[in-house]
């Protein structure tokens, strides 16, 4: 069976963990070429390998955060997992604590959480470093003699794979990868350096000439992952497989190959200082087990692989700077990626303008970005407009709801799909000016975790603006958490804030209140809120009163406290009035109130107060009733990616 057919036949959805890495990016791209239900995880915002990948196929994941892992597993619900996560494979990644935390501790947590899933296959990227000093063509059952922290952590993982596969009967295997090379490899590594020098007619400085490596092309490695998943069975669960060619290539032979194949006039130079501390003279695979059990073997020769790699790097360097395509390069400014979530309802005319203005802002900021339009079942042609834009711009995805659930549900829906380091919430009517995001990002990079827009003035009638201002001040005074005045939903939220807001499971959510509730460092940016650019507002007095009630009853118990206080005061006054009435009747009968007017007024007063109290209690009981029904806050009907409308499978709609 061809690789393409095997990928198409995998049980999905497919989750690629570590998709921003070298092998993960190749796996993700290969799978996406054959099917759409593939999601790759990212951690940092600098993901040059994922340029052009639709935002709908990416998800943020912090492996060291169990809650983040739980969120991704729940969102994707994968049947097949390709785990390419790793830290410490590069000489400059020498933080021992982080190596063990990322490679082993987080792996165990991931496996424990994945046990609740109906997994068909879990393929773990191991390393030939597990063998350490025993590196000369070892069989999989040979002793492991790790010679670095990275090797120790990977060896521990292979033992965990054995336990989970053979004892706990999980469908998992470990692939011990040798010297993988090919497209998207870190530019600090040997083969990319060789390719870049070949493109200039030169050769790089090599390590000791007697050092050997088992070079295997990444396309063969992708095939190994897919083949292992396709052939998964209880018989191989918990096994490790060597993934290499079985052919050691000395560095002097590699240099001679490059000179001969590409007609170079350069003379190879070697230096002991150019190598790695754990380099060995004989380091190569014994892939016979993979061939016998999986039916896999490397098919790309070193000559063919070098040709492909040189061609790829020549093309890549036409639009990239070689020294920046590495983890070793000085990191870009922290906090360098933004997801924009736009709630759209009757905004078909505004959507293209919003897209253009957002794109201009993000390009000026030079950040990695995605734009998520959430069509809250708008009756106009918003869905078609989003589809056309997404066909032209891979940064854009669309989410369409099954009915109108309201802007708060729309924002939450987009926040769950956001994959960047921060999330900006905007209304689709352009009353939230995208240009303000530049100020948001500046404050975010300065340390703020929440940056909200503060409306110092609105383009609306004076009386209506006064009512809005009065509400925010009453709301702030009554709320049990500090609520910024004149701040709507327009804000930038750090990834950590997004996570905690999504942990608040209210069905009838009031996001600006939740934003204040979760805390963190919050900063306001003043702006003048313009009127709608197109159409008329869907808000009216009744809806505005509803918004006010939602905010107050979600974040304040003061109405209940006031009701209790009123009841107590009324009770005291009633007793005093009774004592006064008896006293007057006894001492001065002629002054006692006569007729029914006084009694009627008292009855009307307390009757009205009782009805008001019942109404207030009813509001709180109504919110309790809504929450106990536990209905989904929204239902996604489909996703729009690259101009394609994808109907969501059952279980992924909410």
């Amino acid at each position: 069976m061809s690789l393409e057919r095997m990928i198409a036949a995998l049980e999905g959805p497919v989750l690629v963990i570590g998709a921003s890495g070298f092998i993960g990016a190749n796996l993700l791209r290969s799978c996406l070429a054959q099917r759409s239900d593939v999601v790759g995880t990212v951690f940092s915002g600098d993901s040059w390998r994922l340029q052009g990948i639709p935002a709908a196929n990416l998800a943020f994941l912090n492996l060291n955060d169990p809650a983040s892992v739980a969120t991704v597993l729940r969102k994707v619900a994968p049947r097949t997992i390709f785990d390419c996560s790793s830290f410490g494979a590069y000489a400059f990644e020498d933080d021992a604590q982080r190596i063990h935390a990322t490679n082993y501790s987080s792996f165990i947590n991931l496996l424990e959480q994945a046990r609740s899933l109906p997994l068909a296959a879990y393929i773990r990227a191991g390393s030939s470093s597990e063998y350490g000093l025993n590196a000369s063509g070892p069989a999989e059952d040979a002793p492991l003699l790790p010679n670095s922290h990275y090797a120790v952590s990977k060896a521990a993982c292979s033992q965990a794979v054995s336990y989970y596969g053979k004892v706990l009967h999980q469908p998992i295997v470990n692939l011990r990868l040798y010297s993988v090379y090919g497209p998207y490899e870190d530019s600090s590594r040997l083969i990319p350096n060789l390719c870049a020098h070949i493109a200039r007619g030169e050769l790089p400085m090599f390590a000791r000439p007697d050092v050997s490596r088992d070079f295997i092309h990444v396309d063969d490695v992708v095939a190994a992952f897919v083949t292992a998943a396709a052939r998964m069975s209880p018989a191989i669960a918990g096994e490790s497989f060597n993934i290499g060619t079985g052919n050691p290539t000395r560095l002097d032979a590699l240099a001679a190959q490059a000179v001969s194949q590409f007609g170079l006039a350069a003379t190879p130079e070697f230096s002991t200082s150019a190598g790695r501390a754990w380099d060995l003279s004989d380091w190569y695979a014994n892939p016979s087990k993979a061939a016998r059990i999986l039916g896999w073997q490397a098919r790309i020769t070193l000559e063919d692989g070098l040709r492909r790699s040189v061609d790829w790097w020549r093309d890549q360097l036409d639009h990239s700077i070689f020294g920046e395509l590495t983890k070793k390069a000085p990191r870009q400014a922290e906090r360098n990626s933004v997801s924009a979530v736009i709630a759209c309802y009757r905004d078909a005319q505004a959507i293209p303008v919003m897209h253009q203005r957002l794109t201009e802002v993000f390009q000026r900021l030079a950040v990695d970005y995605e734009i998520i339009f959430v069509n809250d079942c708008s009756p106009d042609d918003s869905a078609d407009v989003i589809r056309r834009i997404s066909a032209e711009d891979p940064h854009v995805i669309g989410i369409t709801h099954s009915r109108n659930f309201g802007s708060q549900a729309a924002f939450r829906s987009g926040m769950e799909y956001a994959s960047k380091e921060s999330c900006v919430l905007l209304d689709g009517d352009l009353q939230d000016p995208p240009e303000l995001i530049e100020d948001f990002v500046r404050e975010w990079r300065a340390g703020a975790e929440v940056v909200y827009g503060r409306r110092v003035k609105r383009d609306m009638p004076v009386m209506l603006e006064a009512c809005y201002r009065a509400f925010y001040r009453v709301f702030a005074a009554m709320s049990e958490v500090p609520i910024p005045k004149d701040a709507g939903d327009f804000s930038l939220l750090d990834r950590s804030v997004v996570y905690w807001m999504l942990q608040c499971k209210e069905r009838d959510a009031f996001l600006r209140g939740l934003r204040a509730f979760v805390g963190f460092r919050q900063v306001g940016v003043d702006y003048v809120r313009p009127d709608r650019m197109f159409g008329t507002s869907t808000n009216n007095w009744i809806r505005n009163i509803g918004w006010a009630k939602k905010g107050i009853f979600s974040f304040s118990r003061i109405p209940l406290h006031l009701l209790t206080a009123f009841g107590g005061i009324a009770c005291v006054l009633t007793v005093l009035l009774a004592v006064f009435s008896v006293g007057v009747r006894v001492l001065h009968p002629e002054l006692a109130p006569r007729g029914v007017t006084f009694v009627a007024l008292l009855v009307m007063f307390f009757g009205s107060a009782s009805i008001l109290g019942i109404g207030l209690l009813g509001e709180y009981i109504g919110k309790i009733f809504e929450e106990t029904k536990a209905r989904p806050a929204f239902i996604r009907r489909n996703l729009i990616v690259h101009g394609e409308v994808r109907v969501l499978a059952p279980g992924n709609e909410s």
Side-chain angles (χ1 to χ4, degrees):
M1 183 185 296
S2 68
L3 177 64
E4 293 75 14
R5 292 179 63 186
M6 279 197 292
I7 291 174
L10 292 176
E11 295 196 42
V14 178
L15 178 64
V16 181
I17 298 174
S20 58
F22 164 39
I23 297 171
N26 280 277
L27 259 171
L28 179 64
R29 290 178 177 276
S30 296
C31 290
L32 282 175
Q34 306 303 321
R35 55 195 299 163
S36 61
D37 63 337
V38 186
V39 175
T41 69
V42 297
F43 178 61
S44 75
D46 184 13
S47 50
W48 64 274
R49 296 182 176 98
L50 300 179
Q51 292 298 319
I53 300 295
N57 296 105
L58 298 174
F60 175 86
L61 174 63
N62 180 356
L63 280 170
N64 292 315
D65 180 358
S68 179
V69 172
T71 297
V72 170
L73 293 181
R74 184 180 66 252
K75 172 184 172 182
V76 181
R79 295 295 312 282
T80 300
I81 296 179
F82 294 129
D83 185 356
C84 302
S85 59
S86 181
F87 182 81
Y90 302 97
F92 51 84
E93 294 178 332
D94 55 2
D95 184 336
Q97 184 173 358
R98 185 177 175 188
I99 287 172
H100 292 285
T102 301
N103 294 347
Y104 183 74
S105 299
S106 64
F107 176 52
I108 297 301
N109 170 66
L110 178 58
L111 287 180
E112 283 297 303
Q113 296 203 39
R115 287 179 65 188
S116 62
L117 300 173
L119 284 180
Y122 188 121
I123 314 302
R124 168 74 177 180
S127 171
S128 59
S129 295
E130 296 170 32
Y131 294 113
L133 300 175
N134 185 20
S136 302
E140 284 79 356
D141 58 357
L144 304 182
L145 302 174
N147 57 348
S148 68
H149 280 291
Y150 176 72
V152 169
S153 67
K154 284 295 191 178
C157 287
S158 71
Q159 297 303 311
V161 167
S162 179
Y163 169 67
Y164 276 87
K166 296 183 180 300
V167 178
L168 301 182
H169 308 294
Q170 296 298 299
I172 183 171
V173 298
N174 180 53
L175 303 185
R176 290 174 176 155
L177 308 179
Y178 279 75
S179 297
V180 187
Y181 69 99
Y184 300 105
E185 188 178 3
D186 191 287
S187 66
S188 68
R189 302 300 287 264
L190 172 58
I191 296 298
N193 265 286
L194 176 59
C195 293
H197 281 77
I198 287 173
R200 301 193 299 268
E202 303 171 354
L203 285 175
M205 177 68 70
F206 292 93
R208 300 193 323 267
D210 64 315
V211 168
S212 71
R213 297 183 189 173
D214 189 340
F215 294 104
I216 178 167
H217 194 271
V218 70
D219 287 352
D220 280 331
V221 172
V222 168
F225 272 86
V226 175
T227 302
R231 302 286 174 85
M232 180 59 67
S233 69
I236 68 170
E239 294 289 337
S240 288
F241 296 93
N242 293 332
I243 304 300
T245 66
N247 301 316
T249 301
R250 287 170 48 113
L251 295 190
D252 54 0
L254 176 66
Q257 171 77 34
V259 169
S260 171
Q261 182 174 345
F262 298 98
L264 304 178
T267 300
E269 296 183 17
F270 301 90
S271 170
T272 56
S273 63
R276 304 176 302 186
W278 56 84
D279 275 333
L280 300 170
S281 296
D282 290 304
W283 190 349
Y284 59 93
N286 175 1
S288 59
K289 181 179 176 181
R292 184 178 70 255
I293 297 178
L294 299 180
W296 172 91
Q297 61 181 2
R299 301 186 182 279
I300 300 174
T301 64
L302 181 58
E303 180 180 1
D304 187 22
L306 275 179
R307 178 186 54 77
R308 296 187 191 189
S309 297
V310 169
D311 290 344
W312 187 87
W313 277 105
R314 279 176 173 155
D315 179 67
Q316 184 72 16
L317 293 178
D318 285 342
H319 51 83
S320 302
I321 299 174
F322 183 78
E324 294 181 354
L325 305 181
T326 173
K327 286 184 178 181
K328 194 174 182 179
R331 291 180 59 85
Q332 295 184 9
E334 291 291 334
R335 302 183 167 186
N336 201 52
S337 64
V338 182
S339 299
V341 176
I342 304 97
C344 304
Y345 186 73
R346 298 181 184 273
D347 295 320
Q349 291 178 284
I351 289 171
V353 180
M354 174 69 79
H355 169 253
Q356 179 183 352
R357 290 170 64 178
L358 280 172
T359 301
E360 291 172 353
V361 167
F362 290 139
Q363 288 177 348
R364 285 198 298 271
L365 287 169
V367 296
D368 181 22
Y369 69 94
E370 64 185 359
I371 301 173
I372 304 173
F373 288 103
V374 184
N375 173 25
D376 200 27
C377 200
S378 182
D380 57 17
D381 63 342
S382 293
D384 286 336
V385 173
I386 295 170
R387 182 182 57 77
R388 289 195 295 270
I389 294 174
S390 73
E392 299 172 356
D393 186 351
H395 293 96
V396 174
I397 68 171
I399 299 173
T400 301
H401 285 174
S402 62
R403 70 167 177 83
N404 180 251
F405 289 93
S407 64
Q408 304 298 281
F411 284 134
R412 190 182 189 98
S413 179
M415 288 163 66
E416 289 187 1
Y417 262 85
S419 65
K420 305 304 180 184
E421 296 169 290
S422 65
C423 191
V424 175
L425 308 182
L426 307 95
D427 286 325
D429 55 13
L430 292 170
Q431 288 188 279
D432 298 330
E435 292 72 21
L436 201 66
I437 294 174
E438 296 183 67
D439 294 328
F440 286 2
V441 170
R442 184 183 66 250
E443 295 290 347
W444 177 47
R445 286 174 171 169
E449 289 144 313
V450 174
V451 187
Y452 55 83
R454 186 167 43 222
R455 304 160 178 172
V456 295
K457 184 174 176 54
R458 298 173 177 83
D459 287 343
M460 59 174 56
V462 175
M463 282 299 297
L464 185 58
E465 183 176 8
C467 289
Y468 274 108
R469 287 183 173 277
F471 161 70
Y472 279 108
R473 279 143 187 80
V474 170
F475 182 33
M478 297 181 70
S479 175
E480 295 171 357
V481 295
I483 301 289
K485 299 181 180 67
D486 302 312
D489 295 316
F490 185 29
S491 56
L492 180 147
L493 311 171
D494 185 78
R495 166 55 60 179
S496 58
V497 178
V498 172
Y499 168 76
W500 284 111
M501 288 180 66
L502 291 177
Q503 300 313 300
C504 300
K505 301 301 183 181
E506 288 100 319
R507 266 66 182 177
D508 190 26
F510 190 65
L511 291 182
R512 63 196 74 173
L514 290 178
R515 185 181 66 207
F517 168 79
V518 298
F520 296 93
R521 183 185 172 193
Q522 305 203 6
V523 174
V525 174
D526 294 342
Y527 76 105
V528 176
R529 194 168 203 242
D531 199 0
R532 288 177 65 99
M533 183 174 292
F534 303 100
T536 57
S537 174
T538 56
N539 279 340
N540 52 43
W541 280 103
I542 295 177
R543 291 196 177 198
N544 287 335
I545 291 172
W547 272 101
K549 287 164 53 181
K550 175 186 284 194
I552 291 171
F553 292 127
S554 294
F555 289 91
S556 176
R557 288 178 293 177
I558 285 182
L560 292 177
H561 298 326
L562 292 176
L563 189 60
T564 301
F566 172 77
I569 293 171
C571 182
V572 171
L573 291 177
T574 300
V575 171
L576 293 176
L577 180 60
V579 171
F580 174 76
S581 297
V582 171
V584 169
R585 174 68 67 178
V586 172
L587 300 176
H588 301 283
E590 70 282 359
L591 297 179
R594 301 180 184 279
V596 298
T597 303
F598 181 70
V599 175
L601 288 174
L602 284 178
V603 170
M604 291 173 62
F605 174 73
F606 284 105
S608 300
S610 298
I611 293 173
L612 174 63
I614 292 171
L616 288 174
L617 287 173
E619 292 286 349
Y620 284 101
I621 292 171
K623 289 191 72 65
I624 295 172
F625 180 57
E626 283 299 316
E627 296 300 324
T628 57
K629 286 188 289 188
R631 294 171 180 167
F634 52 84
I635 299 173
R636 300 185 186 97
R637 184 177 181 182
N638 54 52
L639 288 179
I640 303 172
V641 182
H642 277 319
E644 173 191 349
V645 178
R646 301 177 181 174
V647 178
L648 290 170
N652 291 330
E653 303 98 330
S654 60

